[in-house]
């Protein structure tokens, strides 16, 4: 049920962490190539991840995206929330409308 953007974000965070453990910062172009995503879309996702403090970035000749101890408590939920917001966690996991008194789902689908 993850959006394509969330899937790319998850892959990006994993790749950034892998390279950070090797003491390397990586650029959007490299990340996009590794996760098989368009570079411009990857750059947009990476900016959202930086704003949400999921990963860090540094400008300059030795710059790029990185993860360090300050990012070590990040969860999968944090990554998805940074990209898609909370709706995945507050709505029906099947994408069905919420139950109400006027419009109720079948018993087998309630509280999905």
């Amino acid at each position: 049920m993850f959006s394509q953007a969330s899937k790319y974000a998850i892959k990006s965070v994993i790749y950034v962490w892998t390279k950070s453990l090797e003491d390397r910062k990586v650029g959007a172009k490299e990340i996009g190539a590794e996760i098989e995503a368009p570079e411009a879309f990857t750059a947009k996702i990476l900016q959202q991840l930086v704003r949400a403090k999921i990963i860090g970035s540094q400008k300059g000749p030795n710059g790029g995206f990185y993860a360090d101890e300050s990012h070590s408590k990040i969860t999968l939920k944090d990554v998805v929330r940074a990209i898609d917001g909370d709706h995945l966690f507050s709505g029906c996991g099947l994408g069905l409308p919420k139950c109400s008194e006027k419009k109720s789902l079948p018993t087998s689908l309630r509280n999905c």
Side-chain angles (χ1 to χ4, degrees):
M1 294 290 177
F2 293 132
S3 69
Q4 189 62 50
S6 283
K7 290 176 188 177
Y8 287 151
I10 294 164
K11 290 178 183 181
S12 295
V13 170
I14 292 169
Y15 187 71
V16 168
W17 262 107
T18 301
K19 295 305 169 187
S20 292
L21 292 172
E22 297 171 2
D23 204 27
R24 276 191 61 218
K25 293 179 181 80
V26 289
K29 186 175 186 173
E30 179 181 342
I31 295 167
E34 180 65 28
I35 66 169
E36 299 178 348
E39 184 180 346
F41 192 38
T42 302
K44 180 181 173 185
I45 291 167
L46 292 167
Q47 289 171 350
Q48 289 177 271
L49 294 172
V50 169
R51 276 194 297 275
K53 298 184 172 141
I54 306 290
I55 58 174
S57 70
Q58 181 179 336
K59 294 184 182 202
N62 295 318
F65 296 94
Y66 65 91
D68 60 21
E69 189 64 33
S70 69
H71 307 108
S72 65
K73 302 255 189 246
I74 301 303
T75 65
L76 178 63
K77 186 175 182 178
D78 295 328
V79 175
V80 174
R81 182 180 285 138
I83 301 302
D84 289 336
D86 280 332
H87 72 275
L88 180 67
F89 305 108
S90 61
C92 174
L94 298 175
L96 300 171
K98 288 187 177 183
C99 298
S100 71
E101 289 183 30
K102 292 182 180 179
K103 187 175 182 181
S104 182
L105 293 173
T107 305
S108 61
L109 295 176
R110 289 189 187 154
N111 299 318
C112 57

